[in-house]
Amino acid sequence: MFFSHAPAGYLVVKFARKFKTDRADVFTAMLAGILPDFDMIYFHLIDERAHIHHSYWTHMPHFWVVVYAAALIVAAWLKSKRIVYYATLIFSCVIVHLILDSVAASGILWAYPFSIEYYELFVIPQVHDSRMLNYVLHWTFLIEMLIILVAIVVALRCREFSRLWKAQGCEAQ
């Protein structure tokens, strides 16, 4: 997946909070949804695309488990429910990102460090010269478009029609 990571993060927070979110929740979730792809800066500018960017630490689930566990330890030490909330939100959105990348985007090293096998559900055949064109013309692209469409519908209903949807809880807490 390429385009649906931020919308997926948006949907994670909207559904997890039963649509009762504020701007900080939405911003955090959408940023966390793309957080693993920050490695693209290194991939393009420094590494010169030497190997697949899913091999960097930002795309390794065990890294995020360690970060999440450390955040929970700090939260327990500080007795902070807010840290627990945001750590859980970020971790959830990052894991959703990795799951989406496991559908059809070169796979994820789910078993690392025990295995260096990339796991993905569907391999997109290289029919055209452009990797992006191969992806956009593959049926799995419809999954991505569906995620984006659902996020747009939720955003429109929660913002533009907020007076009608107050009973459903789209207003901020």
Side-chain angles (χ1 to χ4, degrees):
M1 303 282 161
F2 293 102
F3 308 108
S4 64
H5 293 308
Y10 174 78
L11 291 173
V12 166
V13 73
K14 283 294 186 180
F15 289 116
R17 302 275 298 160
K18 297 180 182 170
F19 302 97
K20 296 177 182 174
T21 58
D22 59 24
R23 288 184 181 171
D25 291 339
V26 171
F27 176 79
T28 302
M30 292 180 74
L31 184 64
I34 61 171
L35 193 58
D37 281 337
F38 279 28
D39 63 10
M40 294 296 280
I41 297 166
Y42 181 83
F43 176 69
H44 286 289
L45 299 178
I46 298 168
D47 199 30
E48 297 178 354
R49 301 170 59 153
H51 56 284
I52 183 170
H53 85 104
H54 286 187
S55 66
Y56 299 134
W57 56 268
T58 58
H59 274 88
M60 294 189 181
H62 76 283
F63 168 76
W64 294 105
V65 168
V66 169
V67 170
Y68 181 53
L72 293 180
I73 290 168
V74 169
W77 183 58
L78 297 174
K79 297 179 179 148
S80 172
K81 290 180 181 178
R82 188 176 184 92
I83 293 174
V84 171
Y85 169 72
Y86 279 105
T88 303
L89 176 61
I90 292 167
F91 181 71
S92 301
C93 293
V94 165
I95 293 301
V96 167
H97 177 115
L98 299 178
I99 291 168
L100 291 175
D101 278 354
S102 298
V103 173
S106 304
I108 294 295
L109 293 164
W110 285 102
Y112 187 85
F114 306 107
S115 169
I116 56 169
E117 182 178 349
Y118 288 89
Y119 293 92
E120 68 181 317
L121 293 175
F122 306 102
V123 176
I124 297 174
Q126 300 302 307
V127 178
H128 306 284
D129 290 336
S130 166
R131 183 171 186 251
M132 187 58 71
L133 185 59
N134 287 314
Y135 176 65
V136 170
L137 296 176
H138 193 261
W139 69 267
T140 55
F141 186 66
L142 295 174
I143 299 169
E144 187 149 24
M145 293 298 100
L146 179 63
I147 292 167
I148 293 168
L149 179 65
V150 170
I152 290 170
V153 168
V154 169
L156 289 175
R157 287 191 170 180
C158 286
R159 290 185 186 155
E160 294 184 2
F161 307 111
S162 62
R163 276 183 262 140
L164 299 173
W165 285 71
K166 284 192 191 265
Q168 269 76 17
C170 285
E171 74 280 358
Q173 281 186 318

